[in-house]
Amino acid sequence: MSSLILLRRVRVENANAIAGVTWGFPAITHFLGFTHALSRKLSVTHGLHLDGCAVVSHEHQVHAHTSGRDYQFALTRNPLTREGKTASFNEEGRMHMTVSLLLECHGEIANGEYGQQELADALQQICPTLRLAGGMIVDIQDIRVLDMPQTAAEMCRLQWRLMPGFVLRDRSAWLAEHHQALLASDPTATVLDAWLDFAALKIEAETPDEGDIHEGEPAEWHRVGKPRPGYMVPLMTGYQRISELYAPGVVAHARDAQTPFAFTEAVYGIGEWCGMHRITSLEAIFWRYRTTQTGYYCQGADAPLAAQHQN
C-alpha cells in the first residue's frame, strides 16, 4: 500500500545553487538523494521505503549580485591565511529556498490515522538532522502522512495546501522529440544541439528579403523562442560513467578503498516549472532514479526508457 508524505514549506538556508554547468536551483539529484537518505532511516525504524519525490518551489533567493548584465555569486573568503591574505577557493553558489516535497511511501503503516500521526512526529525529529542540497533545514511548517488522493476533490485539497507554488516536471521526452525533428532537416544534429535550443538564449537578425545583404546594413534583431511553450529550464539529471570500473583500492585518494571506482560526468536534461493548479496527477510530477551499467539517471513518469543522455 502506498501513502503520501507531505513536507510542507521546508525552509533551507545556504543550499547549493550550482548544478554542473547550470545554476539558479539545486539539481534534482539533491532531492532524490535526500529522499534516499530519509528512506534508509525509515526502513530501519518503521519498515517503510520511499520512492518517488515531487518538488514544489515557493520561494528562492540566490546569493548573487549583478551590474545589469552578468551575475556574480556573493562569496566570502574566510578565514584569512596566516599571512593575513585571502585564501584561494573554488567558487560556490549558495541560495535560500522554501520548498515543499511530496514523497511516495511504500509499506504498511499500522494503526491507521494514529500510525500516520506517529510517523509524522518521527519525521519532525529526523528531517532537520539531514541536509537538503547541502543546505541546513531550519524550519518545516507542517509534516503530514496522507492516503494517496483517489478523487478529483482529494487532489484539489492537496493542491490548495501547496499553492502558491511551482512544481518541477521532467520534459526529457520533449527533448527526444525535438532531436528527431532536427534530424529530419539536418542528419548531423546531435542531442546537444537539441538541448541548446531549450537552454541557450538565441537571437537572430531579420533583414529585408529584397536584394542582397551587405555588411553594415541595419537589421532588426529578435529573440528566438523555445521549441515548446512554457517555463523551460535546463537541468542536471544524473551522472554517467566515462571510464572503466576499477577494482577497490586501485585509484589513489578515492574516498572509499573498499568499493569499486569509476570516473563520471554530469548528465543534463530539460524540465518545466508548472503551476501547481495545472497538475491533475501526482504520477506526472514524481521523479525517480534508475541505475544502469553506465550511470545514475533521475527521470519523471513521461521520460523515454531508452533516452539518449547528452553530457
Side-chain angles (χ1 to χ4, degrees):
M1 179 181 293
S2 297
S3 301
L4 185 68
I5 296 177
L6 169 61
L7 306 181
R8 184 169 178 264
R9 292 191 173 269
V10 182
R11 190 156 60 90
V12 184
E13 291 187 351
N14 294 319
N16 186 10
I18 299 178
V21 299
T22 66
W23 72 278
F25 199 78
I28 194 64
T29 53
H30 287 300
F31 297 99
L32 287 182
F34 173 84
T35 303
H36 180 71
L38 187 58
S39 178
R40 293 185 62 179
K41 291 183 177 293
L42 292 182
S43 65
V44 175
T45 60
H46 293 76
L48 301 173
H49 169 69
L50 303 182
D51 187 13
C53 174
V55 181
V56 183
S57 176
H58 302 288
E59 185 180 3
H60 72 281
Q61 178 189 17
V62 181
H63 299 172
H65 56 84
T66 177
S67 59
R69 184 179 181 88
D70 296 326
Y71 281 85
Q72 292 184 344
F73 289 110
L75 304 171
T76 60
R77 301 185 181 186
N78 300 320
L80 299 178
T81 64
R82 294 180 179 179
E83 294 76 20
K85 300 179 179 179
T86 55
S88 60
F89 67 108
N90 292 328
E91 184 178 53
E92 294 183 353
R94 297 295 177 183
M95 65 180 296
H96 297 335
M97 63 180 182
T98 301
V99 297
S100 292
L101 301 182
L102 295 170
L103 308 177
E104 186 181 28
C105 179
H106 297 283
E108 182 179 356
I109 302 176
N111 301 324
E113 294 182 357
Y114 296 100
Q116 291 180 341
Q117 185 59 49
E118 186 274 332
L119 176 58
D121 294 339
L123 290 171
Q124 195 74 48
Q125 302 297 321
I126 296 174
C127 290
T129 66
L130 302 177
R131 292 268 185 167
L132 179 55
M136 295 183 61
I137 298 175
V138 297
D139 182 64
I140 302 178
Q141 187 176 101
D142 187 26
I143 296 180
R144 297 196 181 189
V145 181
L146 311 167
D147 295 330
M148 282 288 183
Q150 302 296 329
T151 65
E154 292 175 348
M155 186 66 188
C156 185
R157 284 194 292 269
L158 178 62
Q159 289 174 312
W160 274 106
R161 290 175 178 174
L162 296 172
M163 291 193 292
F166 293 88
V167 63
L168 185 62
R169 300 188 61 176
D170 183 14
R171 293 304 191 187
S172 56
W174 289 1
L175 177 62
E177 292 176 4
H178 182 56
H179 179 226
Q180 293 300 319
L182 290 181
L183 289 175
S185 57
D186 182 7
T188 63
T190 65
V191 182
L192 178 59
D193 296 323
W195 184 78
L196 287 175
D197 285 343
F198 285 96
L201 177 62
K202 297 183 177 182
I203 58 175
E204 65 180 6
E206 182 177 348
T207 58
D209 295 333
E210 299 179 359
D212 296 332
I213 300 175
H214 301 285
E215 183 178 354
E217 290 184 347
E220 182 179 349
W221 293 85
H222 61 88
R223 181 177 176 179
V224 179
K226 305 296 183 182
R228 292 272 189 158
Y231 193 167
M232 311 299 297
V233 290
L235 296 176
M236 195 187 87
T237 58
Y239 302 91
Q240 186 161 282
R241 198 174 76 187
I242 59 174
S243 73
E244 62 179 288
L245 187 63
Y246 296 99
V250 172
V251 179
H253 306 299
R255 180 178 298 178
D256 185 359
Q258 307 300 321
T259 304
F261 183 93
F263 291 95
T264 65
E265 62 182 5
V267 173
Y268 297 96
I270 296 298
E272 179 190 16
W273 287 110
C274 185
M276 191 62 202
H277 63 287
R278 297 183 180 276
I279 302 302
T280 58
S281 169
L282 289 181
E283 189 63 25
I285 61 176
F286 275 135
W287 291 81
R288 297 180 175 87
Y289 69 83
R290 69 182 183 92
T291 57
T292 67
Q293 293 295 324
T294 58
Y296 165 89
Y297 308 108
C298 303
Q299 296 180 327
D302 298 331
L305 294 178
Q308 296 295 322
H309 298 274
Q310 180 66 40
N311 302 325

